[in-house]
Amino acid sequence: DISDRAVLQTQRAWVGPRSAKITSAIEIGKPIELAIEYANTGREPAVNMNYTVDAFSASEAEEKRGTSFAKLTRGLNQCRSTNEVSGGQVVFPTTGFSAYNLAVTVPNQTINQEIVEGKQAIIVQGCFLYRSFDVIHRSYFCYFYKANSTKPENLNICINGHHAD
């Protein structure tokens, strides 16, 4: 039994993000367009891969009150509690510098003056759901952008908001 589990862990698919960037102009009133690079570093194709990506803005006051952390926790819990995966794509194992790209326009979130001035950050959270050896796996991730400290073409990784199983 232990040997079987070890084989499954070493041979299964492992899908996760590699990087994220903002591809749209950071201008007031414009939507947020993202490119997320991801890969399957496992040895088995991931099947029925689905994803969700969302973004929200947060001020330093919201960070201190824990509002952002609460939103990330809700997203993580939703990702972890999803027990049904159907449809979706096949993500074949990647090697070296090869990867997949996901282009997303975030609904209901546009750039505002506070984001442009660096008074608010954009927090991007997402969840990859997929099957490997008939088991559902999840990769939950978080990146952020804050003017004057983050480059739009290379978002920073959040301190919290990550999970993989």
Side-chain angles (χ1 to χ4, degrees), residues 17 52-54 56 67-83 123-129 136-143 158-165:
T52 59
V53 176
D54 193 16
F56 59 91
T67 307
S68 302
F69 182 72
K71 287 180 183 179
L72 286 173
T73 301
R74 280 193 301 275
L76 173 60
N77 289 339
Q78 185 175 4
C79 180
R80 291 171 84 175
S81 67
T82 303
N83 293 315
I123 299 175
V124 177
Q125 60 183 347
C127 177
F128 292 134
L129 295 162
I136 296 174
H137 295 283
R138 300 153 192 89
S139 294
Y140 184 77
F141 56 90
C142 178
Y143 291 93
C158 300
I159 294 170
N160 296 307
H162 306 278
H163 172 79
D165 62 12

Side-chain angles (χ1 to χ4, degrees), residues 8-60:
L8 288 176
Q9 288 297 324
T10 59
Q11 299 300 311
R12 64 163 267 206
W14 285 91
V15 177
R18 290 177 48 155
S19 65
K21 63 182 171 181
I22 296 174
T23 56
S24 57
I26 300 177
E27 297 176 7
I28 297 170
K30 298 282 185 179
I32 300 168
E33 296 175 9
L34 304 164
I36 298 170
E37 186 177 285
Y38 64 99
N40 176 357
T41 57
R43 295 186 177 175
E44 169 85 3
V47 296
N48 302 121
M49 202 285 274
N50 287 277
Y51 66 89
T52 59
V53 176
D54 193 16
F56 59 91
S57 59
S59 66
E60 281 189 36

